[in-house]
Amino acid sequence: MSSKNEMLDKIAKNKPPKNTLPELLSFGSGERKEWLEQFSASSALNGGTTIVVKSWEEIESYLKSKFDLDKQTVSLSPDLNGNLDIASILDPHDLEKVELAILEGTYGVAENAAIWMPEEKLAHRALPFIAQHLVVVLESKNLLPDMHEAYRKIDVAASDYGVFIAGPSKTADIEQSLVIGAHGPRSMTVFILDL
Amino acid sequence: MAKTITHAEAAEAFLKDADRTQWHDETLWHVRTKRDTAAQKLPEWEQLRENASKVKEYVLSHLDELLVTFEKNAKANGIEVLWAKDAAEHNQHVYEILQKHSVQNIVKSKSILTEECGLNHFLEDKGFDVVDTDLGERIIQFNKQVPSHIVMPAIHLKKKEIGDIFHTHLGTQQGADDPNYLTEAARNHLREKFINANAAITGVNFGIVESGGFVVCTNEGNADMGTHLADVHIACMGIEKLIPRKADLGVYLRLLARSATGQSITNYSSHFHRPRSGKKMYLILVDNGRTEQLGREHFRNSLKCIRCGACMNTCPIYRRSSGFSYNATVPGPIGSILSPGMDLKKHSTLPFASTLCGSCSDVCPVKINIHEQLYQWRQVVTEAGHDSAAKKWAMKIGGKVMGSPSLYDFLGKSARSALKLTPKKLVYSRVNTWGKSRDLPEPPKESFKEWYRKNRKP
Amino acid sequence: MKVALFVPCYVEQFYPEVGIATLELLEKYGVQVEYPLEQTCCGQPMANSGYQRFGDDASRVFMENFGDYEYVVAPSGSCTLHVKEHVLGESEVKVYELCEFLTDILKVEDVGVSFPFKVGIHASCHGLRGLRLAKSSEIVGDDFNKPRTLLEKVKDIQLVELQRKDECCGFGGTFAVSEEAISVRMGMDRLADHEDSGVEVITSADMSCLMHLQGLSKRNQHPVKIMHIAQILNGAKPS
């Protein structure tokens, strides 16, 4: 008998009496205005920075002031410029020297600052991890209160791969001291475009 | 055969270093308080726990059907699914995949299942370079140790010790112990490993039945760095990790990181549904004792575990004896109810490494009745005869005495008089373990019953 | 109201004053207390050691003594829990730990005693998480604490906040002996928490935890006093 059948037979023999599947949970979502504050606070706790802006120009000037844009910069946002043509990259290993990746987020979750990034928004799955710094632009109208709402809104199986990114790469494996920049981005900046 | 060291012996050895014990206790207690702060922010916390528990109960009671559907959906997504009834078969599957794709260099992200299966040693014996990429796991891999905690594998080490390990293995400056400096050294070292890896092995936090995908959670992003660069992704998953619906993740992701470290979510929650174009994705479904545990009525609920480690952080015994004292892949309270199912004799002292205080059960995000299962395992251990004959004898006598009111009164009185008459030196002799560090209560002149007869009973 | 008093074995033998305080306290609130003279022990020492089967005779004796009463009250959360979970079976006897009987059944409002001392409450685990005498720190929800509610009614008492308000003391029955090293360390850590907060008297609804803490404090010549909550509520003072 195959291992599969052996395992399934044992389960059939050993499993408890059938239980019913509970309904999905949903909670009051609070005020939209609070979501923005909540998102910023959560993002800071995760080790990231959230900046609320009114225009693309604001983002541009912030990026100029904070990053060396002469280094390899990939932008997947039509409104912001990079210097590396992502279409020219076929092998993700060639992203190794990327200094800054600028991405557009889909939905952001207020309770934990997680932003849903499906593969279509990444060009390469490796991009938001291999880059030294990560910038994500999110429209304020795409904020959701909590994870229950997020899974209601997003079909996470519609993309071959997708990830909730909530902050930069971090670790606390040495005596519980928080260190930002374990393997991936050393910083994550979220611009919330509040038009 | 060497005698298996008991938890009490291992704990006693750990406790000899009082300062380290205090440091270990306080470090983990700090994590527990962060968990409390995070949980207390959500008024719906107990509803989440209840729902997470009930969904897992549904999963366990439909596990066979759900696994079949999960496999079907995963295959339709282009994921190759393999079944492994035990650790050996799991390791063999991994080996064959690696051979098929001519893999030499492997990066791994944290997977307690592969620890359970002894995968690293198996592969290293076959000549593969296996690199654990979670920082904590890399530290203990250098140090030739196993994780002492399922979420914080190197929590038993001080930064000074990690500095020494890195000095030896990564050439960092001697005596340097700044966590930022050490992490940077690990980052540079591991980047190279990620770039050169042909295969990435990950664990699985949740397998989604309805969509045939799975979720992996990390803070470091190491699972993603590995899988998105390597040609082959092998995901190893215990069969109990299923959840029925995508939307169930809402509940579990809210609970998992808050329970584990007090974060609202891990920084990366990656949802894998289909491999990258032209690349391979394998999923190995592992039994290794789980179907047997499912058949144990008192213990099957242990399979609801989502491996958050909260029960370790809260356990007053774990905090003061460290993970190694359990001599098991999964230490702490949850390990003490899982491990006896794998090897009752070897792990026979673990159910007794508890005061049954119940903090583990109250902190558990999926409401596993851990302390009640510890109590039940104790009964199983003694029934199987894995207990000292002296204790059994004492308990049998104790039971007889308590079952006879006259004998009970007589012996109570005798014991009190004996205690009064015996010289202190003899009372606190070596055979009196209670009295090694504690005084005995002063024997009163009369028992309550004697007083009652005099003062109340006509 | 008629109540049967169950006095745990170690209280019967070593701490008769706790049994007496419980009896007098119940009588003070107008309860007719009966103490079945043939009682022994609930069987917990055997059961928690893995020998529940050897406690069967103790359970039988318990039911012979208490099976016909409506209410049984015991000055111990731990024994009460064991009886409820493993001894009562289908029986309709209602077993209460003393504090919960005072707050929930007698609904005591006035205790009429004074206790001008700094008091630390040791939350014994079985009462806390087994009987839910208080909300444990792990749980999210409305706060409540039955032993504390009673002590708050005592005049002149100063209840002290601890760093870890409901960490286990490490007694754990035979655990105190089988895992002696860790049990002692847990107890010393508990004592330190109370003493660092300036506690003069440690109290609890369970004398077993207190016996452990007292044994440690006496051996190490700590000045802190140990009293069962029934003694404080009954007007006793530290000796």
Side-chain angles (χ1 to χ4, degrees):
Chain A
M1 188 163 37
S2 73
S3 288
K4 174 181 170 181
N5 288 336
E6 215 175 294
M7 285 159 67
L8 291 175
D9 280 1
K10 255 173 115 174
I11 294 168
K13 190 164 73 78
N14 287 345
K15 67 183 177 180
K18 290 197 169 175
N19 285 302
T20 50
L21 183 61
E23 296 287 310
L24 293 170
L25 292 179
S26 169
F27 298 94
S29 51
E31 295 283 323
R32 181 165 279 273
K33 189 181 167 323
E34 287 167 18
W35 300 352
L36 200 59
E37 285 162 24
Q38 234 189 320
F39 185 97
S40 301
S42 308
S43 157
L45 283 173
N46 296 343
T49 307
T50 293
I51 299 163
V52 183
V53 291
K54 293 283 175 199
S55 69
W56 289 98
E57 290 73 33
E58 263 186 75
I59 301 177
E60 216 178 327
S61 66
Y62 183 92
L63 293 180
K64 270 185 194 148
S65 72
K66 291 282 177 185
F67 295 100
D68 182 354
L69 298 176
D70 292 336
K71 291 187 175 169
Q72 271 194 15
T73 302
V74 177
S75 173
L76 300 187
S77 165
D79 294 286
L80 296 165
N81 291 325
N83 58 23
L84 181 70
D85 178 16
I86 196 71
S88 71
I89 305 284
L90 301 175
D91 179 348
H93 291 86
D94 297 335
L95 297 166
E96 200 193 340
K97 299 278 179 250
V98 170
E99 179 71 10
L100 177 65
I102 303 168
L103 308 175
E104 286 189 345
T106 59
Y107 292 97
V109 185
E111 69 159 320
N112 55 19
I115 301 174
W116 177 246
M117 303 297 304
E119 187 159 15
E120 303 76 61
K121 295 280 187 183
L122 304 175
H124 287 276
R125 292 181 189 185
L127 180 59
F129 300 94
I130 204 167
Q132 296 290 329
H133 297 275
L134 179 64
V135 165
V136 179
V137 184
L138 188 70
E139 289 191 49
S140 64
K141 66 175 195 311
N142 291 332
L143 282 180
L144 301 167
D146 60 26
M147 292 303 282
H148 308 291
E149 212 44 55
Y151 280 102
R152 228 185 312 283
K153 194 90 182 176
I154 303 160
D155 180 3
V156 291
S159 305
D160 294 351
Y161 166 83
V163 54
F164 278 106
I165 301 184
S169 168
K170 66 173 180 178
T171 181
D173 275 343
I174 302 177
E175 272 199 17
Q176 282 294 292
S177 305
L178 177 67
V179 178
I180 306 287
H183 305 286
R186 299 169 188 276
S187 76
M188 177 174 178
T189 312
V190 179
F191 291 101
I192 297 198
L193 200 51
D194 196 21
L195 295 172
Chain B
M1 204 182 80
K3 183 180 165 290
T4 315
I5 189 166
T6 67
H7 180 271
E9 289 163 348
E12 192 180 348
F14 184 80
L15 282 154
K16 287 221 160 73
D17 188 340
D19 290 343
R20 184 181 285 267
T21 303
Q22 185 177 350
W23 167 78
H24 193 266
D25 168 62
E26 282 172 359
T27 305
L28 286 151
W29 180 256
H30 177 62
V31 183
R32 156 74 210 274
T33 56
K34 286 199 290 183
R35 172 264 172 214
D36 289 353
T37 307
Q40 298 292 346
K41 276 187 198 161
L42 301 186
E44 65 266 34
W45 184 256
E46 299 303 329
Q47 269 174 279
L48 296 177
R49 289 177 73 220
E50 182 63 22
N51 182 275
S53 169
K54 285 280 182 301
V55 169
K56 281 286 182 182
E57 277 168 23
Y58 171 85
V59 168
L60 295 181
S61 66
H62 295 76
L63 191 56
D64 44 357
E65 304 156 39
L66 293 176
L67 279 168
V68 170
T69 310
F70 178 59
E71 181 194 33
K72 187 183 81 181
N73 292 339
K75 278 182 167 168
N77 287 340
I79 303 173
E80 288 204 33
V81 181
L82 299 153
W83 300 65
K85 64 178 180 215
D86 54 23
E89 191 176 10
H90 164 265
N91 293 350
Q92 190 62 29
H93 281 321
V94 174
Y95 177 57
E96 282 168 17
I97 295 165
L98 296 175
Q99 275 203 315
K100 186 173 156 194
H101 297 285
S102 310
V103 170
Q104 259 317 304
N105 302 323
I106 304 154
V107 285
K108 265 183 78 208
S109 62
K110 193 159 61 202
S111 154
I112 297 301
L113 175 64
T114 61
E115 294 283 348
E116 176 187 319
C117 295
L119 181 67
N120 280 19
H121 283 150
F122 172 86
L123 291 178
E124 281 157 9
D125 286 349
K126 296 210 179 290
F128 291 94
D129 181 28
V130 188
V131 176
D132 274 317
T133 59
D134 172 85
L135 178 60
E137 290 231 288
R138 189 61 178 154
I139 293 166
I140 57 165
Q141 194 180 30
F142 282 145
N143 211 28
K144 301 205 183 320
Q145 288 179 311
V146 293
S148 69
H149 188 291
I150 59 172
V151 174
M152 299 168 280
I155 196 73
H156 58 286
L157 292 169
K158 296 191 179 187
K159 61 184 180 184
K160 166 89 182 54
E161 295 165 305
I162 296 170
D164 291 344
I165 295 167
F166 277 22
H167 173 65
T168 306
H169 293 272
L170 297 178
T172 53
Q173 285 164 28
Q174 189 151 22
D177 65 358
D178 173 53
N180 279 292
Y181 169 75
L182 297 176
T183 303
E184 183 67 21
R187 176 190 175 100
N188 294 330
H189 157 72
L190 288 167
R191 275 245 157 185
E192 192 201 318
K193 299 291 183 187
F194 282 124
I195 296 291
N196 293 318
N198 327 103
I201 298 176
T202 70
V204 169
N205 289 94
F206 304 99
I208 315 164
V209 173
E210 71 171 342
S211 61
F214 58 91
V215 174
V216 181
C217 304
T218 74
N219 276 315
E220 297 182 7
N222 56 321
D224 290 279
M225 279 290 273
T227 55
H228 306 330
L229 291 171
D231 289 342
V232 180
H233 176 183
I234 306 171
C236 308
M237 171 180 158
I239 51 172
E240 80 281 20
K241 293 278 178 167
L242 291 182
I243 53 162
R245 301 163 293 200
K246 291 173 278 188
D248 289 317
L249 287 164
V251 174
Y252 289 103
L253 291 190
R254 295 189 84 193
L255 287 168
L256 178 62
R258 286 182 173 93
S259 297
T261 59
Q263 297 170 244
S264 53
I265 191 166
T266 51
N267 275 1
Y268 304 105
S269 309
S270 306
H271 298 54
F272 296 87
H273 274 90
R274 282 161 284 271
R276 275 181 292 144
S277 141
K279 309 300 176 192
K280 298 296 286 182
M281 191 180 283
Y282 294 90
L283 186 61
I284 308 180
L285 302 172
V286 185
D287 180 345
N288 203 35
R290 286 161 176 77
T291 52
E292 216 166 308
Q293 187 83 331
L294 189 65
R296 298 181 179 118
E297 191 194 337
H298 288 306
F299 307 118
R300 60 167 60 109
N301 272 347
S302 60
L303 295 170
K304 295 193 295 193
C305 178
I306 57 172
R307 300 291 192 271
C308 71
C311 61
M312 291 159 209
N313 307 337
T314 202
C315 178
I317 284 101
Y318 176 91
R319 277 188 265 112
R320 291 175 183 83
S321 61
S322 159
F324 296 144
S325 65
Y326 294 82
N327 193 21
T329 303
V330 180
I334 182 68
S336 298
I337 61 172
L338 290 171
S339 308
M342 315 277 268
D343 184 341
L344 186 64
K345 189 160 187 279
K346 180 184 171 194
H347 301 297
S348 65
T349 63
L350 297 186
F352 297 92
S354 163
T355 57
L356 307 182
C357 80
S359 182
C360 47
S361 304
D362 274 6
V363 88
C364 177
V366 291
K367 296 180 86 164
I368 301 171
N369 56 335
I370 302 176
H371 72 295
E372 290 171 357
Q373 295 193 34
L374 289 168
Y375 175 90
Q376 292 297 344
W377 272 120
R378 291 179 182 190
Q379 314 305 323
V380 174
V381 167
T382 66
E383 292 273 6
H386 299 311
D387 196 21
S388 84
K391 185 173 148 208
K392 182 175 179 179
W393 182 80
M395 288 299 148
K396 199 163 187 168
I397 302 283
K400 286 282 168 241
V401 173
M402 299 311 188
S404 160
S406 54
L407 196 56
Y408 169 78
D409 288 349
F410 171 73
L411 286 174
K413 197 177 173 75
S414 314
R416 274 179 285 116
S417 334
L419 205 52
K420 252 183 276 190
L421 297 173
T422 314
K424 200 163 176 161
K425 226 168 141 182
L426 212 60
V427 172
Y428 293 107
S429 73
R430 278 210 320 225
V431 290
N432 176 5
T433 310
W434 170 275
K436 223 170 104 185
S437 304
R438 319 170 182 94
D439 277 9
L440 283 160
E442 288 290 326
K445 65 177 196 297
E446 58 190 0
S447 72
F448 175 76
K449 196 175 287 184
E450 287 163 346
W451 177 91
Y452 185 83
R453 277 187 211 273
K454 275 189 221 159
N455 293 280
R456 285 294 187 279
K457 201 72 186 167
Chain C
M1 177 186 272
K2 193 166 84 176
V3 155
L5 176 63
F6 171 50
V7 175
C9 50
Y10 57 93
V11 172
E12 151 79 8
Q13 301 297 340
F14 292 116
Y15 299 100
E17 65 276 18
V18 174
I20 296 166
T22 307
L23 175 73
E24 290 179 350
L25 195 55
L26 289 169
E27 287 175 344
K28 196 164 89 181
Y29 292 111
V31 176
Q32 186 196 336
V33 185
E34 287 185 14
Y35 174 77
L37 285 163
E38 299 288 286
Q39 62 180 279
T40 59
C41 157
C42 63
Q44 181 174 205
M46 281 72 77
N48 282 3
S49 305
Y51 295 95
Q52 191 182 322
R53 56 196 181 280
F54 293 164
D56 287 349
D57 286 341
S59 299
R60 181 183 42 77
V61 170
F62 184 92
M63 291 312 293
E64 282 168 8
N65 278 277
F66 295 100
D68 295 331
Y69 288 95
E70 189 187 356
Y71 289 111
V72 177
V73 175
S76 160
S78 189
C79 304
T80 301
L81 180 69
H82 180 76
V83 168
K84 280 173 116 167
E85 287 188 337
H86 301 290
V87 177
L88 288 185
E90 301 294 297
S91 162
E92 286 179 7
V93 183
K94 294 194 269 287
V95 183
Y96 284 86
E97 179 279 329
L98 175 65
C99 295
E100 59 178 353
F101 188 75
L102 294 177
T103 58
D104 299 2
I105 304 299
L106 297 183
K107 303 195 189 301
V108 164
E109 283 303 332
D110 180 22
V111 298
V113 294
S114 156
F115 196 76
F117 299 95
K118 283 189 172 174
V119 173
I121 302 175
H122 172 65
S124 57
C125 302
H126 291 175
L128 175 70
R129 299 192 190 84
L131 298 175
R132 301 288 173 200
L133 295 185
K135 184 188 81 67
S136 66
S137 56
E138 299 87 4
I139 298 287
V140 176
D142 294 335
D143 211 11
F144 67 96
N145 189 325
K146 294 174 189 179
R148 192 183 176 100
T149 304
L150 290 168
L151 289 172
E152 279 168 352
K153 299 179 197 302
V154 173
K155 258 201 302 195
D156 310 316
I157 198 167
Q158 282 176 270
L159 293 172
V160 167
E161 298 299 329
L162 303 169
Q163 289 293 317
R164 301 185 190 181
K165 66 171 186 164
D166 54 18
E167 172 128 312
C168 177
C169 68
F171 171 65
T174 46
F175 177 88
V177 174
S178 64
E179 290 260 10
E180 195 261 353
I182 210 158
S183 167
V184 165
R185 177 68 195 234
M186 286 167 70
M188 292 308 288
D189 287 352
R190 279 297 70 227
L191 280 179
D193 192 355
H194 284 272
E195 287 164 352
D196 290 349
S197 314
V199 164
E200 295 166 308
V201 178
I202 300 177
T203 192
S204 165
D206 258 295
M207 205 58 220
S208 49
C209 307
L210 293 179
M211 177 170 72
H212 167 62
L213 293 175
Q214 185 182 50
L216 289 167
S217 74
K218 278 172 88 174
R219 174 61 58 90
N220 294 285
Q221 289 157 345
H222 290 202
V224 70
K225 301 282 185 221
I226 306 284
M227 288 175 80
H228 190 274
I229 190 168
Q231 296 173 282
I232 296 181
L233 295 175
N234 195 43
K237 297 287 180 285
S239 52

